[in-house]
C-alpha cells in the first residue's frame, strides 16, 4: 500500500484525486515460428521481446467504494509490469466536489475520464469498472473507442442506456428507488457518521438478496448494529473508507449514480465493440435485478457486446474484487495479456 502514489489532476476548476502504481514496463514474450536462429541455423523458434503497447489500466470504482477498493488489483498489476491508475470521481473521496452536486451527471464523469487520460498523456488504456463504475467504462469505450483497448467490468452487465423501469418491477422500498428520492437517503444516512453508513451498505451489498425496506422502514435499518462485517473486510478497511467519505460526504454519490439513472446520453451507437470481460460473483445480489440473470447467463448480452467473455466466481458476492482478490487479479491479468 505504501508504494501507491497519490496526485491531483486539474479538470476545469476541480482537482481530481488519482492513486497510481507501476510504470507500465510489462513486456510480453512471443514465439515467432517463422524466424529461426541465424547463429546456429537451428529450427528452434526463439522469443522476440516487444513492447506490449500502452500497458495502463484505469480503475473506476462503484458505491460505496473509492480508489481504495482497487488496492489489491493495483498492486498485482504493478507487480506484473503494468501501470494501474484509480481516480476518485468528482465529489468522491479526496476529489473536489462540483459546485452544484445536484447537477452532476454521468456525462461529467465521462468528460472527467477523458481529461484525466489527456492530462496523464495516456493515448490508449484498459478500463476496469465495478458496480456503477461499469457504466462509464462501457460508455467511454463507445464514445472514444480510439482510447480504449478493452473493458473489464465486475458486478454489472452492459445494457443500452434508457429510462429506468425498476419502479415497474420492484416495490417502493427497493434501495435504488429510495435513494433516487431527493432528501430520503440524506435523512436516512444523516442519522449516522460516514463510517457507519459505509459499514451498513457494505454488509447489505454483500448479501445475495436485494435490499428492500418495508413501508415504515429506512434502508439503513436493514442492518442491525451488531451485524459483523464480512470476513474479508477489516476494521482498518472500514476506517479508510469512513475517513474518505467523511471528507466528501454523500451528496454527489447520491446524485451519481442514483439520481441520474436513465439520463439520455445521446450516444452515437449503443454497441460496445472493444474486447470485454464481465466478472460476476455467483452470489451477487445483482442477479436478482429483473432480467439480469437471464442477460448475464444467456447469449443476450452479446447482442450489444459482441466481443464479450463472462466468467463466474461461484462464492463471490458483489465485492468480489475484495473478497477474492487473487482470483480476480488472475482473470484481469489474463485478459490484459490476451488483448495487449
Amino acid at each position: 500500500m505504501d508504494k501507491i502514489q497519490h496526485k491531483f489532476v486539474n479538470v476545469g476548476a476541480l482537482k481530481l484525486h488519482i492513486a497510481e502504481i507501476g510504470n507500465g514496463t510489462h513486456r510480453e514474450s512471443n514465439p515467432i515460428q517463422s524466424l529461426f536462429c541465424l547463429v546456429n541455423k537451428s529450427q528452434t523458434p526463439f522469443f522476440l521481446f516487444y513492447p506490449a503497447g500502452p500497458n495502463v489500466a484505469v480503475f473506476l470504482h462503484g458505491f460505496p467504494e473509492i480508489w481504495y477498493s482497487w488496492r489489491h488489483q493495483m498492486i498485482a498489476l504493478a507487480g506484473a509490469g503494468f501501470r494501474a491508475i484509480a481516480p476518485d470521481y468528482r465529489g468522491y473521496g479526496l476529489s473536489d466536489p462540483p459546485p452544484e452536486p445536484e447537477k452532476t451527471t454521468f456525462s461529467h464523469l465521462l468528460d472527467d475520464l477523458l481529461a484525466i487520460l489527456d492530462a496523464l498523456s495516456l493515448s490508449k488504456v484498459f478500463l476496469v469498472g465495478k458496480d456503477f463504475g461499469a457504466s462509464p467504462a462501457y460508455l467511454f469505450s463507445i464514445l472514444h473507442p480510439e482510447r480504449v483497448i478493452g473493458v473489464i467490468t465486475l458486478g454489472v452487465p452492459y445494457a443500452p442506456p434508457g429510462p429506468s423501469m425498476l419502479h415497474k418491477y420492484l416495490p417502493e422500498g427497493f434501495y435504488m428507488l429510495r435513494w433516487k428520492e431527493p432528501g430520503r437517503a440524506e435523512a436516512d444516512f444523516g442519522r449516522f457518521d460516514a463510517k457507519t453508513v459505509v459499514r451498513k451498505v457494505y454488509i447489505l451489498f454483500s448479501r445475495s438478496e436485494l435490499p428492500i425496506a418495508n413501508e415504515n422502514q429506512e434502508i439503513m435499518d436493514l442492518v442491525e448494529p451488531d451485524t459483523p462485517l464480512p470476513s474479508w473486510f477489516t476494521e482498518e478497511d472500514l476506517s479508510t473508507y469512513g475517513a474518505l467519505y467523511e471528507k466528501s460526504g454523500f451528496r454527489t454519490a447520491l446524485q451519481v449514480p442514483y439520481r441520474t439513472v436513465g439520463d439520455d446520453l445521446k450516444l452515437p451507437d449503443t454497441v460496445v465493440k472493444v474486447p470485454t470481460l464481465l466478472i460476476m460473483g455467483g452470489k451477487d445480489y445483482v442477479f436478482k435485478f429483473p432480467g439480469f440473470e437471464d442477460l448475464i447467463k444467456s447469449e443476450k448480452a452479446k447482442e450489444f457486446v459482441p466481443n464479450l467473455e463472462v466468467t463466474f466466481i461461484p462464492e463471490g458476492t458483489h465485492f468480489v474484487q475484495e473478497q477474492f482478490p487473487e482470483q480476480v487479479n488472475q482473470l484481469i491479468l489474463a485478459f490484459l495479456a490476451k488483448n495487449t
Side-chain angles (χ1 to χ4, degrees):
M1 287 294 294
D2 292 341
K3 294 182 179 180
I4 295 178
Q5 300 178 340
H6 301 268
K7 65 173 67 173
F8 290 86
V9 172
N10 292 320
V11 177
L14 303 181
K15 289 184 177 180
L16 301 186
H17 170 251
I18 304 292
E20 68 171 317
I21 185 173
N23 53 23
T25 58
H26 168 73
R27 299 168 78 85
E28 185 71 43
S29 63
N30 182 33
I32 308 297
Q33 299 292 342
S34 61
L35 296 178
F36 307 106
C37 180
L38 299 179
V39 175
N40 58 19
K41 297 183 180 180
S42 73
Q43 297 299 302
T44 303
F46 62 89
F47 288 87
L48 292 181
F49 288 87
Y50 60 93
N55 303 302
V56 181
V58 177
F59 291 86
L60 305 172
H61 65 79
F63 178 82
E65 296 159 301
I66 214 76
W67 75 265
Y68 181 79
S69 64
W70 295 114
R71 60 199 179 280
H72 303 299
Q73 287 68 49
M74 295 177 71
I75 292 170
L77 263 64
F82 289 86
R83 183 180 178 188
I85 298 169
D88 290 339
Y89 303 126
R90 57 170 61 201
Y92 279 78
L94 298 176
S95 290
D96 285 347
E100 297 180 280
E102 288 75 20
K103 293 184 179 180
T104 303
T105 67
F106 269 103
S107 292
H108 290 109
L109 302 192
L110 295 169
D111 291 344
D112 290 348
L113 178 55
L114 180 61
I116 288 169
L117 298 189
D118 289 344
L120 300 179
S121 300
L122 300 174
S123 61
K124 207 166 188 179
V125 301
F126 290 96
L127 294 177
V128 187
K130 157 72 172 43
D131 186 68
F132 90 83
S135 291
Y138 292 131
L139 298 174
F140 192 87
S141 76
I142 294 174
L143 292 168
H144 305 283
E146 76 285 354
R147 307 297 293 270
V148 181
I149 306 169
V151 168
I152 302 171
T153 60
L154 294 84
V156 175
Y158 174 73
S164 174
M165 297 288 106
L166 291 175
H167 63 284
K168 290 189 175 182
Y169 301 103
L170 292 166
E172 67 83 26
F174 179 55
Y175 80 100
M176 289 185 66
L177 298 178
R178 287 285 184 89
W179 292 353
K180 184 178 180 66
E181 180 184 342
R184 185 72 180 257
E186 286 86 344
D188 187 11
F189 290 8
R191 298 177 293 155
F192 310 97
D193 59 23
K195 180 179 177 180
T196 302
V197 172
V198 173
R199 177 183 177 276
K200 286 175 175 285
V201 178
Y202 249 82
I203 291 171
L204 278 177
F205 288 3
S206 296
R207 296 170 176 171
S208 296
E209 299 300 323
L210 293 175
I212 298 175
N214 296 324
E215 184 177 353
N216 297 316
Q217 185 183 37
E218 297 301 328
I219 298 299
M220 292 293 97
D221 297 328
L222 292 173
V223 179
E224 296 295 334
D226 59 351
T227 305
L229 288 169
S231 60
W232 42 265
F233 193 68
T234 68
E235 287 291 341
E236 182 181 359
D237 294 333
L238 178 59
S239 295
T240 299
Y241 280 100
L244 291 169
Y245 273 101
E246 191 69 41
K247 188 265 180 191
S248 66
F250 299 98
R251 191 174 170 189
T252 307
L254 288 169
Q255 174 65 16
V256 179
Y258 299 104
R259 294 168 188 169
T260 54
V261 172
D263 283 359
D264 183 5
L265 298 173
K266 296 180 172 59
L267 296 176
D269 192 1
T270 57
V271 177
V272 176
K273 297 177 181 177
V274 300
T276 302
L277 172 65
L278 171 62
I279 302 172
M280 292 294 305
K283 296 184 177 181
D284 195 326
Y285 75 92
V286 166
F287 280 111
K288 302 295 175 61
F289 277 64
F292 269 35
E293 183 166 14
D294 184 44
L295 176 66
I296 294 166
K297 294 184 176 180
S298 71
E299 292 295 305
K300 290 182 179 180
K302 290 190 176 182
E303 293 180 16
F304 292 98
V305 192
N307 200 357
L308 174 68
E309 302 174 50
V310 182
T311 190
F312 302 92
I313 297 178
E315 296 300 312
T317 63
H318 193 58
F319 300 102
V320 68
Q321 88 281 11
E322 295 182 272
Q323 184 183 11
F324 294 107
E326 291 185 3
Q327 292 184 47
V328 171
N329 295 347
Q330 291 172 4
L331 291 169
I332 291 176
L333 286 169
F335 181 85
L336 298 188
K338 178 181 178 181
N339 292 285
T340 298

